[in-house]
Amino acid sequence: MAKILVVEDEPAIQALIATNLKRAGHEVTSAADAESAQRQIKQALPDLILLDWMLPGMSGIELARSLRNDERSRIVPIIMLTARGDEHDKILGLETGADDYITKPFSPRELVARIKAVLRRRAPQATEDAVEIAGLRLDPVSHRVAAGGQAAELGPTEFRLLHFLMTHAERVHSRSQLLDQVWGDHVFVEERTVDVHIRRLRAALEASGHDALIQTVRGSGYRLSATPKVAD
Ligand code: CA
């Protein structure tokens, strides 16, 4: 269940894609051109972007390039959609930073499978795969967390926060990156909200000592790591 932004100017294709992605359990938003896609992305980062090559105004390739050149949107995986089957175009699309490439017409089943593969690789927090680190296990399907074999009770935000940190372990995330990735909203939440939920998350994991996995990196943000933190 990923948040997917579909950028496609043909209403019939846009509707067909939306129907199939919703059926596969995803949350879908749509944009008919690159400019309105940019506005939506500015508000909230999707987990994945399905991007039509041929758009009125700014092309899909140009949009992909600008998203890749931006620090904030760089991490969002992109699948290009196109009527062209040309090898040269395919190479250009991938060079621009697209993660995959689908030629129209495509079967809904192929589309859903490709999305799943790209999410697994690039946005594992948007998949339903269970993750386990150092005796801490999170299962998105049953929505359960076990710490050292004991069930841990987490609120919905703490659950999403832990899911993101576990699927992106050993890396430092700034508060604003966490807001984008976990809250999905860059604009309306204050950064100290992140600290509040980190505190709750640590409290929920304290009994088994797994709170030590959630590390504060001074001046930078937070990191989940199985390696004990060296004092700074
Ligand atoms: Ca088009």
Side-chain angles (χ1 to χ4, degrees), residues 199-215:
R199 219 156 33 234
R200 287 187 196 157
L201 177 56
R202 281 180 175 144
L205 301 176
E206 213 170 359
S208 59
H210 284 88
D211 56 319
L213 298 183
I214 318 286
Q215 303 173 353

Side-chain angles (χ1 to χ4, degrees), residues 138 143-145 152-163 182 197 200-205:
L138 180 147
H143 221 266
R144 288 207 170 110
V145 175
E153 295 300 326
L154 266 60
T157 304
E158 286 71 46
F159 186 90
R160 285 202 309 277
L161 182 57
L162 181 62
H163 194 193
V182 177
H197 289 277
R200 287 187 196 157
L201 177 56
R202 281 180 175 144
L205 301 176

Side-chain angles (χ1 to χ4, degrees), residues 36 42 64 71 111-112 115 123 162 177 188 206 208 213:
S36 66
K42 209 169 175 184
E71 190 61 44
L111 177 69
V112 169
I115 287 173
L162 181 62
Q177 283 168 339
F188 303 109
E206 213 170 359
S208 59
L213 298 183

Side-chain angles (χ1 to χ4, degrees), residues 45 66-76 177 180:
L45 280 184
S66 94
L67 293 173
R68 281 297 179 257
N69 286 334
D70 180 77
E71 190 61 44
R72 181 172 164 262
S73 58
R74 178 173 293 164
I75 44 171
V76 181
Q177 283 168 339
D180 269 334

Side-chain angles (χ1 to χ4, degrees), residues 73-94:
S73 58
R74 178 173 293 164
I75 44 171
V76 181
I78 297 172
I79 299 179
M80 297 288 304
L81 289 177
T82 182
R84 310 180 188 197
D86 195 293
E87 196 61 21
H88 171 262
D89 288 343
K90 181 173 174 173
I91 291 165
L92 180 60
L94 295 174

Side-chain angles (χ1 to χ4, degrees), residues 110-180:
E110 182 193 4
L111 177 69
V112 169
R114 296 277 201 103
I115 287 173
K116 197 174 190 175
V118 169
L119 287 174
R120 269 215 169 110
R121 200 166 76 234
R122 298 260 291 119
Q125 79 283 6
T127 71
E128 304 216 308
D129 299 343
V131 259
E132 183 160 2
I133 295 173
L136 181 63
R137 184 183 157 84
L138 180 147
D139 184 350
V141 177
S142 63
H143 221 266
R144 288 207 170 110
V145 175
Q150 295 293 311
E153 295 300 326
L154 266 60
T157 304
E158 286 71 46
F159 186 90
R160 285 202 309 277
L161 182 57
L162 181 62
H163 194 193
F164 179 77
L165 291 171
M166 288 183 80
T167 48
H168 298 79
E170 307 299 336
R171 269 175 277 173
V172 182
H173 309 281
S174 70
R175 288 168 179 81
S176 106
Q177 283 168 339
L178 290 171
L179 284 178
D180 269 334

